């Protein structure tokens, strides 16, 4: 049997042990309560996204303000106003797919079949990184594109106009979209180019929709 | 063999030694976790949150400003000297703007409401993810939708539907559930397509099991807001 002193020593040690375990547990719980569910990293990511978006929005505000000044400026010649109109028209034609465009970007070549969700996620990721225009196998991808049509094809060539360096590094980075969607059977390569072309497509037809000018 | 060296005594000493080692490790850990200088672990988090809130506020203001400027430009263009632009050119420009999403549209269509399940058990299947919204929006375009908006955010050519943990971002605006997806188009065609779309079969199964809320209704009078972000083309040559 243990002696009385042995039990006292054991009790004291166990008391402190319990106390420290409890303190550690409470400390961890309290820290989690303060930080979760949004950790610093998550909020930092949101801040980074918002900073980028706001910079783009500020640029848009500056551009629209200049446009408005041009239209309002009574001293602007008819020729200047007409040029402005042509520039605006061309921009919307390109966005809507009535016209194609050329420029800097990347070419993604995918060998191996992709499922519909993979297609949807890939196109979404490209838009999220920031692309001006894109086409798949020579077909312009507009708002109304049914991405189901591009799944289950043996080879896909995706042309993206945009910041080629940013697009390539973001798509290829560890944990990026390529890593998420690729399988053993799939081979994905990305190359930057200074001169890519995206063709025109069939613009959306507004049949049921009515424009509201308020 | 001495009495004090009996197996029981050896076991007791070993036990005390083990407990002392554990205690020592815990004390060392506790001491190390106490910073030498006074720091506030919550400060960076609070600061980041404050910055995020400020930026969100700024984003709202900028978007309002963009909406106002777009309206003013449209009004000025409408009143522009007819020597510069003909009526036909003005109508064409308005149609191009509408197609790109920078004007409000009205018409018949459908409303799809997606929401997390109300049960106590929370799993991957009981939460609405960004991928679910992407699938529904993609199906709507395939069904012939003419315009789509999610929680008041108009879907345009450069819109991405993404998420940061449990928040969904559309046009970089944070959205929370329930998600109301409005689409203008032929209501019957849109509804029929959505009810049959293979790409939405998993969503429908989750809904049938009661894991999520997935409601579809037709509507004859939907008004979709204009896109209030940037639609610039930056990397085109020439």
């Amino acid at each position: 049997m243990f002696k009385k002193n042995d039990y006292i020593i054991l009790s004291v040690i166990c008391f402190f042990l319990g106390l420290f375990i409890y303190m550690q547990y409470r400390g961890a719980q309290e820290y989690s309560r303060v930080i979760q569910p949004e950790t610093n990293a998550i909020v930092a990511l949101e801040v980074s996204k918002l900073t980028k978006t706001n910079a783009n929005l500020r640029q848009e505000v500056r551009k629209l303000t200049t446009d408005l000044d041009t239209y309002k400026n009574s001293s602007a010649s008819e020729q200047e106003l007409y040029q402005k109109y042509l520039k605006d028209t061309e921009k919307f034609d390109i966005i809507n797919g009535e016209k194609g465009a050329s420029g800097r970007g990347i070419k993604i070549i995918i060998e191996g079949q992709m499922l519909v969700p993979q297609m949807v996620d890939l196109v979404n990721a490209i838009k999220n990184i920031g692309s001006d225009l894109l086409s798949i196998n020579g077909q312009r991808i507009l708002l109304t594109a049914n991405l189901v049509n591009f799944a289950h094809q043996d080879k896909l060539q995706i042309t993206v106009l945009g910041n080629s360096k940013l697009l390539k590094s973001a798509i290829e980075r560890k944990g990026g979209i390529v890593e998420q969607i690729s399988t053993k059977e799939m081979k994905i390569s990305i190359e930057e180019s200074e001169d890519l072309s995206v063709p025109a497509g069939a613009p959306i037809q507004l049949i049921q929709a009515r424009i509201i000018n308020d | 063999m001495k009495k004090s060296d009996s197996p029981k005594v050896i076991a007791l000493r070993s036990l005390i030694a083990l407990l002392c080692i554990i205690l020592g490790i815990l004390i060392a850990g506790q001491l190390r976790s106490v910073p030498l200088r006074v720091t506030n672990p919550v400060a960076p988090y609070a600061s980041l949150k404050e910055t995020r809130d400020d930026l969100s506020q700024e984003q709202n203001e900028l978007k309002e400003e963009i909406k106002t400027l777009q309206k003013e430009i449209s009004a000025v263009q409408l009143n522009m000297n007819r020597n510069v632009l003909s009526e036909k050119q003005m109508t064409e420009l308005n149609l191009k703007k509408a197609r790109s999403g920078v004007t409000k549209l009205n018409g018949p269509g459908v409303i799809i409401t997606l929401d997390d399940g109300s049960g106590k058990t929370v799993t991957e299947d009981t939460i609405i993810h960004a991928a679910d919204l992407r699938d529904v929006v993609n199906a709507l375009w395939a069904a012939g939708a003419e315009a789509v908006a999610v929680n008041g955010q108009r879907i345009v050519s450069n819109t991405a539907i993404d998420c940061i943990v449990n928040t969904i971002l559309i046009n970089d605006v944070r959205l929370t559930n329930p998600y109301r997806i409005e689409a203008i188009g032929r209501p019957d065609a849109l509804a029929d397509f959505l009810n049959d779309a293979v790409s939405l079969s998993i969503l429908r199964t989750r809904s049938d099991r009661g894991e999520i809320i997935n409601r579809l209704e037709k509507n004859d009078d939907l008004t979709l807001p204009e896109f209030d972000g940037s639609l610039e083309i930056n990397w085109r040559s020439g």
Side-chain angles (χ1 to χ4, degrees):
Chain A
M1 289 296 289
F2 294 153
K3 288 177 188 169
K4 192 181 172 185
N5 280 351
D6 298 334
Y7 283 111
I8 293 169
I9 293 166
L10 265 177
S11 301
V12 170
I13 292 171
C14 286
F15 171 76
F16 280 109
L17 202 57
L19 193 71
F20 276 107
I21 290 170
Y22 176 74
M23 280 164 68
Q24 290 285 348
Y25 173 73
R26 278 297 301 268
Q29 256 199 342
E30 184 64 17
Y31 191 72
S32 299
R33 190 186 65 77
V34 172
I35 297 300
Q36 290 294 335
E38 297 174 307
T39 62
N40 280 0
I42 292 162
V43 186
L45 189 61
E46 285 187 59
V47 166
S48 143
K49 264 186 161 291
L50 280 164
T51 307
K52 191 179 146 205
T53 310
N54 287 7
N56 286 338
L57 292 175
R58 276 192 292 273
Q59 195 185 332
E60 181 75 3
V61 166
R62 275 196 297 274
K63 194 201 144 287
L64 290 172
T65 308
T66 313
D67 287 356
L68 184 63
D69 286 346
T70 309
Y71 280 119
K72 274 183 168 173
N73 188 356
S74 56
S75 64
S77 68
E78 288 179 1
Q79 185 60 27
E80 272 178 288
L81 290 175
Y82 191 69
Q83 288 304 318
K84 180 82 201 75
Y85 158 78
L86 288 180
K87 211 176 152 194
D88 281 352
T89 306
E90 191 189 25
K91 182 182 107 173
F92 289 119
D93 277 346
I94 293 170
I95 290 168
N96 296 334
E98 283 168 78
K99 281 185 181 171
S102 303
R104 192 171 147 190
I106 57 165
K107 201 157 64 179
I108 308 168
I109 295 165
I110 302 168
E111 289 173 61
Q113 295 196 353
M114 285 178 85
L115 301 172
V116 179
Q118 289 173 314
M119 276 305 310
V120 173
D121 290 349
L122 175 62
V123 169
N124 187 72
I126 292 169
K127 287 183 178 180
N128 195 29
I129 297 162
S131 64
D132 280 354
L133 310 172
L134 71 141
S135 68
I136 302 179
N137 287 357
Q139 264 183 273
R140 178 76 178 272
I141 299 302
L142 295 163
L143 253 188
T144 48
N146 185 3
L147 298 173
V148 173
N149 298 336
F150 298 100
H152 307 293
Q153 293 194 12
D154 291 333
K155 191 174 178 181
L156 292 172
Q157 182 176 305
I158 305 176
T159 306
V160 188
L161 294 197
N163 182 339
S164 54
K165 288 207 177 342
L166 175 72
L167 281 162
K168 189 173 188 294
S169 65
I171 290 171
E172 284 182 330
R173 78 177 168 85
K174 205 166 168 49
I177 189 68
V178 164
E179 198 177 292
Q180 288 177 44
I181 62 166
S182 58
T183 59
K184 280 179 188 170
E185 296 78 33
M186 213 182 272
K187 196 180 154 203
I188 302 178
S189 62
I190 302 172
E191 51 188 79
E192 294 179 53
S193 175
E194 291 293 322
D195 186 26
L196 290 171
S197 290
V198 170
I204 195 166
Q205 296 302 314
L206 301 180
I207 299 160
Q208 304 288 324
R210 193 168 52 83
I211 300 168
I212 300 179
N213 286 314
D214 55 6
Chain B
M1 194 187 218
K2 286 196 289 182
K3 194 188 169 189
S4 60
D5 288 343
S6 69
K8 274 185 182 172
V9 173
I10 292 168
L12 175 69
R13 284 177 180 164
S14 303
L15 181 65
I16 292 174
L18 182 69
L19 288 172
C20 286
I21 289 167
I22 295 170
L23 190 61
I25 291 168
L26 281 169
I27 291 171
Q30 187 72 22
L31 287 173
R32 275 183 68 88
S33 69
V34 176
L36 293 172
R37 305 292 300 269
V38 177
T39 58
N40 179 2
V42 181
Y45 174 72
S47 168
L48 274 171
K49 232 182 133 188
E50 199 181 313
T51 309
R52 180 188 68 187
D53 294 344
D54 288 347
L55 286 168
S56 294
Q57 173 69 26
E58 189 193 12
Q59 188 188 67
N60 291 337
E61 287 166 8
L62 286 166
K63 282 176 173 263
E64 274 306 311
E65 205 174 336
I66 287 173
K67 267 187 197 175
T68 311
L69 284 164
Q70 278 170 346
K71 276 178 194 163
E72 281 186 49
I73 289 172
S74 292
V76 174
Q77 283 171 335
L78 274 173
N79 297 321
M80 236 161 68
N81 190 335
R82 289 285 172 261
N83 291 336
V84 180
L85 289 184
S86 68
E87 191 75 40
K88 192 183 164 213
Q89 284 172 318
M90 278 313 308
T91 311
E92 271 176 7
L93 181 60
N94 273 341
L95 181 61
K96 288 175 199 299
K97 283 183 179 179
R99 280 176 174 161
S100 67
V102 296
T103 46
K104 269 187 197 173
L105 291 179
N106 175 274
V110 293
I111 302 169
I112 300 121
T113 307
L114 292 180
D115 200 358
D116 297 346
S118 51
K120 282 181 184 169
T121 316
V122 178
T123 67
E124 278 283 295
D125 289 339
T126 63
I127 295 168
I128 297 297
H129 303 276
D132 298 325
L133 295 181
R134 285 199 286 268
D135 289 342
V136 173
V137 169
N138 192 53
L140 280 166
W141 291 128
E146 295 173 20
V148 180
V150 181
N151 284 18
Q153 284 304 313
R154 185 77 174 269
I155 308 295
V156 293
S157 58
N158 62 8
T159 298
I161 301 175
D162 214 2
C163 70
I164 296 180
V165 192
N166 49 8
T167 308
I168 290 181
L169 295 176
I170 298 185
N171 296 335
D172 289 321
V173 174
R174 287 152 49 96
L175 305 178
T176 51
N177 60 318
Y179 302 100
R180 182 184 157 96
I181 307 164
E182 296 170 290
I184 292 181
R186 288 195 300 126
D188 290 336
L190 294 178
D192 289 349
F193 191 96
L194 290 183
N195 286 329
D196 295 336
V198 177
S199 58
L200 300 180
S201 58
I202 295 171
L203 199 72
R204 283 197 299 271
T205 307
R206 284 160 61 199
S207 172
D208 293 343
R209 284 192 205 137
E211 291 170 334
I212 54 159
I213 293 163
N214 175 15
R215 210 170 38 240
L216 188 149
E217 48 193 297
K218 296 173 192 174
N219 192 303
D220 286 333
D221 186 27
L222 287 174
T223 300
L224 268 56
E226 67 273 48
F227 174 65
D228 50 11
S230 172
L231 267 183
E232 275 311 291
I233 304 170
N234 300 308
W235 298 90
R236 183 170 64 103
S237 55

